[in-house]
């Protein structure tokens, strides 16, 4: 359904998932071992952090290259007032907490411990968690906050709620287009036991995109969620 030029780019432009696509280049630039040389796993937090940093940089460049003028406009567009955005963001965060609790009750999975752990549904064996931990250990909490709460939400909201949702909407009703992009959003996060949470977040973000007229609310919700996740991880024992 997606235009071929854009569809081919999507897996490469997710800054969280495709570390295996960047690890050889990261090893060449930073002088670290590749995943294959390390027996299938990163040899250290530094290796994974470098690969994540490189992947994020390439993702930002790739996103910039595939965007149209209307896509850029969506990043700054919102039909709601600041008060409405704040209120709806708080409601969405509450919904995410409930979806997270329901997901864990139905399918199990890891709930990050800590005072803010109710919303931090990140499996500790997933690549997402390992990347967050590696960046935090190698570059510090501030760098991790910028990565997880700004770079990742921007890239993912543009890819899924702008490029993919708009492309699918050309051929499907909004209902089905929203479900498709939300399902793929869940698949890209590689943790099946938390799939319901990611689908719910994807559907919610798609609705925010449609009714607000832009990406500001969905980027904000995504960023706040990720900021709470990494804060919970930082407070949890033996994590960041």
């Amino acid at each position: 359904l997606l235009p071929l030029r854009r569809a081919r780019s999507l897996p490469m432009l997710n800054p969280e998932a495709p570390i295996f696509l960047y690890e050889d280049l990261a090893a060449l630039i930073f002088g670290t071992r590749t995943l294959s040389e390390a027996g299938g796993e990163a040899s250290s937090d530094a290796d994974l952090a470098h690969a994540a940093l490189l992947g994020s940089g390439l993702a930002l460049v790739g996103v910039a290259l595939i965007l149209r003028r209307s896509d850029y406009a969506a990043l700054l567009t919102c039909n709601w007032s600041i008060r409405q955005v704040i209120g709806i963001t708080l409601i969405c965060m509450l919904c995410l907490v409930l979806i997270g609790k329901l997901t864990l009750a139905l399918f199990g999975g890891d709930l990050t411990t800590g005072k803010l752990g109710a919303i931090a549904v990140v499996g500790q064996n997933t690549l997402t968690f390992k990347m967050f931990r590696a960046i935090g250990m190698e570059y510090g909490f501030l760098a991790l906050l910028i990565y997880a709460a700004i770079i990742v939400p921007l890239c993912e909201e543009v890819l899924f709620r702008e490029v993919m949702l708009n492309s699918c909407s050309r051929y499907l009703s909004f209902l089905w287009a929203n479900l498709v992009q939300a399902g793929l959003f869940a698949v890209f996060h590689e943790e099946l036991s938390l799939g319901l949470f990611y689908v719910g977040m994807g559907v919610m973000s798609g609705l925010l995109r449609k009714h607000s007229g832009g990406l500001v609310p969905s980027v904000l919700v995504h960023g706040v969620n990720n900021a709470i996740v990494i804060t919970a991880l930082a407070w949890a024992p033996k994590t960041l």
Side-chain angles (χ1 to χ4, degrees):
L1 296 177
L2 294 172
L4 185 59
R5 179 175 67 89
R6 290 183 152 198
R8 286 179 174 176
S9 303
L10 290 177
M12 291 288 292
L13 302 182
N14 179 7
E16 283 193 72
I19 290 301
F20 64 90
L21 298 174
Y22 307 120
E23 50 100 8
D24 287 319
L25 185 56
L28 178 63
I29 295 174
F30 295 103
T32 56
R33 292 192 299 168
T34 66
L35 298 182
S36 56
E37 291 171 341
E41 296 184 356
S43 58
S44 68
D45 286 329
D47 297 345
L48 190 54
H50 293 332
L53 180 65
L54 179 61
S56 298
L58 293 177
L60 286 174
V61 172
V63 166
L65 291 175
I66 69 169
L67 291 184
R68 302 188 180 101
R69 184 175 300 177
S70 59
D71 298 326
Y72 283 108
L75 287 171
L76 303 175
T77 301
C78 183
N79 297 330
W80 296 338
S81 67
I82 295 177
R83 181 178 298 180
Q84 286 177 309
V85 171
I86 294 175
I88 291 173
T89 297
L90 292 176
I91 293 173
C92 288
M93 298 312 299
L94 176 60
C95 291
L96 288 179
V97 171
L98 297 177
I99 295 172
K101 288 182 176 293
L102 177 62
T103 300
L104 295 173
L106 293 177
F107 304 105
D110 296 325
L111 178 64
T112 300
T113 58
K115 295 181 180 179
L116 298 178
I119 206 168
V121 277
V122 177
Q124 295 195 17
N125 292 320
T126 65
L127 183 57
T128 297
F129 173 84
K130 293 176 182 178
M131 286 173 55
F132 283 178
R133 180 183 183 279
I135 295 172
M137 294 292 291
E138 183 68 13
Y139 298 111
F141 180 79
L142 180 59
L144 176 58
L145 184 64
I146 294 172
Y147 173 81
I150 298 178
I151 296 176
V152 169
L154 279 174
C155 288
E156 292 188 347
E157 293 305 313
V158 168
L159 291 177
F160 290 98
R161 261 63 80 177
E162 182 65 21
V163 175
M164 187 173 292
L165 181 57
N166 287 345
S167 297
C168 290
S169 295
R170 297 175 186 175
Y171 306 96
L172 302 171
S173 67
F174 174 79
L175 173 63
W176 286 108
N178 199 28
L179 288 174
V180 168
Q181 66 83 17
L184 292 175
F185 176 70
V187 170
F188 270 42
H189 282 80
E190 104 286 322
E191 179 68 8
L192 293 180
S193 64
L194 301 178
L196 178 61
F197 175 81
Y198 290 119
V199 169
M201 184 176 181
V203 169
M204 183 185 303
S205 296
L207 291 171
L208 290 174
R209 168 65 181 93
K210 177 182 180 181
H211 293 292
S212 70
L215 291 172
V216 173
S218 63
V219 170
L220 181 60
V221 169
H222 199 153
V224 171
N225 177 77
N226 285 9
I228 293 176
V229 167
I230 63 170
T231 301
L233 291 175
W235 287 359
K238 296 182 181 180
T239 53
L240 299 183

